[in-house]
Amino acid sequence: MSNWLLEVEDLKTYFPIQKGLFGGKIDYIKAVDGVSFRLKQGETLGIVGESGCGKSTTGRSILRLINPTGGSVKFAGTEITTMPQNELRKLRGRMQIVFQDPYASLNPRMSVSAILSEALSVRNDHTNSDDRKEQVNHLLHLVGLNPNQADRFPHEFSGGQRQRVGIARALAVQPDLIIADEPVSALDVSIQAQILNLLQDLQEKLGLTFIFISHDLGVVKHFSDRIAVMYLGGVVEIAGKQQLFSKSYHPYSQALMSAVPNLNPLKRRERIVLRGDVPNPANPPQGCTFHLRCVYCMDICKSVRPLSAEVEPGHVVACHLYA
Ligand code: SF4
């Protein structure tokens, strides 16, 4: 039996596109291209990167909300990329997702009580209505909502409260793993900290394992044990939070780090402004996908994709500077 709750190995998710004058040529957007990491029970991995780097597609591919093109995802030692849908349905209860936009992910025609009851029925369809009501109240209490609000509809809640409902729905099936996909980026800054604290409390209370996806390294830092930095479909650096914040190696990570505000003037980093934009994922650069924006680019970077190498125990970087 594996010690890892989740093992992701060389995960690839490609989306076909038509190219050419008459659309006859098929090409692929390599949204996720060879992502690997492992996660222990109770651990939080933050995945950070610019919009379009493949972090959300990675999360959805792990849950098989999108079918991956290749690679392996093992949950509690069981391969799930090839699992038939009926078996996958049983396993889904142990892996849940919290979406960025709680309003879009909650059925506007269902009361909160009905939304949570539906989620609870996935776990146990044989409870009577009194038990179910008690469970709904417990879930609302757990996420800091008043059980008196159970009969309200999603539009009657604020954005932060709706995200709490989304979290309660994810908890209803007693998952082991929650993938939180930009869970606070649609919320006011004043509410973000409340939701982050709630997630942290729930993790401690329930021993949950999290993948926390965000474009904001400051937010990821708040919540993660380890952090994976993604760029154009691949993980360019992965390390413990303290390791990464005390010394990041990859030039892209260094640029991200330099943009994180630090209240301590002695620890402020010089801001690194990247040149150019993220290349089109339908036509990524050869070799290192970051080479067009990298000030350290060497000839080899233009033709050979760098392999991941361990630069310190538990600190892995994909860059020719450290090969
Ligand atoms: Fe820069 Fe080369 Fe490292 Fe890519 S492999 S990040 S281009 S130095």
Side-chain angles (χ1 to χ4, degrees):
M1 176 80 186
S2 165
N3 286 328
W4 302 99
L5 180 67
L6 186 72
E7 296 163 272
V8 178
E9 192 64 47
D10 201 23
L11 184 67
K12 295 185 173 95
T13 304
Y14 297 170
F15 297 113
I17 46 166
Q18 293 195 322
K19 265 183 128 182
L21 196 53
F22 301 105
K25 190 174 164 217
I26 298 288
D27 211 334
Y28 293 92
I29 293 180
K30 296 179 177 179
V32 178
D33 196 18
V35 165
S36 302
F37 58 82
R38 292 189 285 188
L39 207 51
K40 286 192 197 120
Q41 177 86 41
E43 198 181 17
T44 297
L45 176 75
I47 301 183
V48 72
E50 286 164 289
S51 168
C53 70
K55 51 194 190 305
S56 291
T57 308
T58 299
R60 283 166 168 74
S61 304
I62 289 168
L63 297 180
R64 272 193 58 193
L65 298 176
I66 300 170
N67 275 328
T69 311
S72 160
V73 177
K74 285 186 185 152
F75 181 79
T78 304
E79 178 62 54
I80 58 175
T81 51
T82 50
M83 190 178 263
Q85 283 295 336
N86 56 342
E87 282 178 45
L88 188 62
R89 229 168 280 131
K90 289 181 215 151
L91 202 67
R92 279 251 169 81
R94 296 183 65 190
M95 303 183 290
Q96 287 290 296
I97 186 164
V98 173
F99 294 99
Q100 173 180 357
D101 181 355
Y103 198 48
S105 66
L106 299 173
N107 187 336
R109 285 185 289 275
M110 288 171 82
S111 69
V112 163
S113 168
I115 289 169
L116 297 183
S117 295
E118 186 183 66
L120 283 162
S121 69
V122 172
R123 192 182 75 210
N124 183 357
D125 213 7
H126 304 295
T127 41
N128 63 40
S129 59
D130 283 349
D131 287 345
R132 185 60 50 85
K133 192 167 175 220
E134 205 172 299
Q135 289 168 352
V136 167
N137 290 350
H138 172 69
L139 283 170
L140 290 173
H141 184 70
L142 207 55
V143 297
L145 290 173
N146 190 331
N148 292 339
Q149 298 170 310
D151 293 328
R152 294 193 189 170
F153 288 81
H155 73 270
E156 297 177 88
F157 289 89
S158 68
Q161 287 173 323
R162 279 198 290 266
Q163 193 54 293
R164 287 175 192 265
V165 174
I167 294 166
R169 183 181 55 182
L171 293 176
V173 290
Q174 295 183 337
D176 297 289
L177 171 70
I178 292 184
I179 298 185
D181 186 4
E182 299 271 12
V184 297
S185 56
L187 304 175
D188 286 351
V189 176
S190 58
I191 308 295
Q192 289 187 358
Q194 293 173 16
I195 298 297
L196 290 172
N197 288 336
L198 170 67
L199 291 172
Q200 213 154 22
D201 285 351
L202 290 169
Q203 181 179 38
E204 278 163 28
K205 229 180 256 174
L206 306 174
L208 296 164
T209 306
F210 270 99
I211 293 179
F212 191 92
I213 295 169
S214 177
H215 66 281
D216 184 339
L217 192 52
V219 167
V220 166
K221 181 188 179 189
H222 182 92
F223 198 62
S224 308
D225 301 308
R226 282 188 301 135
I227 296 174
V229 179
M230 279 191 76
Y231 186 80
L232 216 63
V235 172
V236 295
E237 185 160 3
I238 183 164
K241 174 173 70 180
Q242 301 305 345
Q243 283 178 307
L244 194 71
F245 272 82
S246 58
K247 182 165 173 52
S248 51
Y249 287 84
H250 196 281
Y252 178 63
S253 312
Q254 289 169 352
L256 286 188
M257 288 287 168
S258 77
V260 178
N262 196 325
L263 295 177
N264 182 345
L266 298 175
K267 290 193 174 171
R268 275 188 203 142
R269 299 173 162 94
E270 195 183 330
R271 181 79 197 264
I272 301 168
V273 179
L274 290 174
R275 57 187 182 187
D277 295 318
V278 181
N280 180 355
N283 187 20
Q286 292 284 306
C288 170
T289 53
F290 187 62
H291 85 254
L292 296 174
R293 306 175 81 190
C294 181
V295 291
Y296 304 105
C297 181
M298 304 170 282
D299 279 349
I300 188 175
C301 307
K302 296 174 189 166
S303 55
V304 180
R305 186 174 176 169
L307 298 174
S308 295
E310 198 166 39
V311 288
E312 292 172 26
H315 195 149
V316 173
V317 184
C319 173
H320 288 304
L321 290 173
Y322 311 104

